[in-house]
């Protein structure tokens, strides 16, 4: 079973920041938060991951609350090509690297 | 650089027929390999993963099997397909170390009729 809760869908205006929330209230101390996205009919694409510090890369920023029970993925300037299902996953990142995907959030970027 | 190949892109098979989907990875050694399935409108379900040649772990009981005959080859099979086997099948790989990201193939859309 997925250990995260995400809204089913969200809208965002093109050019604005998209903030995607994720609740993971039962996260363990050694579990990371991973974000992937899946554009329709394609394989998922890795976005970012973190343990407890905020992280930023060329795609997005990840903000993790101090108690680690929730996080937010931020796409700073959403484009139409960012329309996709976004998955928030928690995992201990063990050697098997198994990831259990939930149903994610469908982000629709509107022109 | 590493690449993952998965084929075919689409497949239509009758109920009761066999299945063989192949996935190969280039540019890396001893990767972890994974098979996921996505039913229409649903999330991704992990079916099998492998940490080495001949080592297969099954996540859910089902009508499918997996094999890893070579280091960078992962095969998903069935002797007799069911209607419920329809879905989008994705192969993925990761480096065989902790906390590594997964890289996915382009998927196979399987329709069992």
């Amino acid at each position: 079973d997925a250990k995260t809760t995400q809204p089913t869908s969200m809208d965002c205006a093109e050019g604005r920041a998209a903030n995607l929330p994720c609740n993971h209230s039962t996260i363990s101390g050694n579990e990371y938060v991973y974000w992937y996205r899946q554009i329709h009919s394609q394989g998922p694409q890795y976005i970012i991951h973190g343990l407890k510090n905020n992280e930023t890369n060329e795609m997005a920023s990840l903000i993790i609350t101090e108690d680690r029970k929730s996080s937010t993925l931020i796409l700073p300037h959403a484009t139409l090509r960012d329309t996709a299902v976004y998955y928030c996953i928690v995992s201990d990142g063990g050697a098997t690297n198994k990831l259990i995907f939930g149903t994610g959030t469908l982000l629709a970027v509107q022109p | 650089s590493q690449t993952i190949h998965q084929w075919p892109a689409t497949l239509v098979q009758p109920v009761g027929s066999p299945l063989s989907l192949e996935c190969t990875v280039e540019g890396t050694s001893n990767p972890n390999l994974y098979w996921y399935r996505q039913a229409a409108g649903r999330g991704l379900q992990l079916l099998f993963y492998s940490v080495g040649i001949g080592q297969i772990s099954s996540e859910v009981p089902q009508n499918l099997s997996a094999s890893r005959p070579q280091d960078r080859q992962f095969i998903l099979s069935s002797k007799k397909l069911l209607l419920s086997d329809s879905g989008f099948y994705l192969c993925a790989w990761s480096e065989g170390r902790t906390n590594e990201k997964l890289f996915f193939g382009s998927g196979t859309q399987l329709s069992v009729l």
Side-chain angles (χ1 to χ4, degrees), chain B residues 5-35:
Chain B
H5 302 279
Q6 189 180 345
W7 67 93
T10 59
L11 190 60
V12 180
Q13 292 284 104
V15 170
S17 64
L19 172 74
S20 180
L21 300 181
E22 188 165 343
C23 171
T24 60
V25 181
E26 296 178 357
T28 187
S29 297
N30 197 31
N32 289 348
L33 297 171
Y34 312 83
W35 279 111

Side-chain angles (χ1 to χ4, degrees), chain A residues 12-18 75-79:
Chain A
C12 177
E14 188 177 18
R16 304 296 294 270
L75 308 178
H77 305 288
T79 70

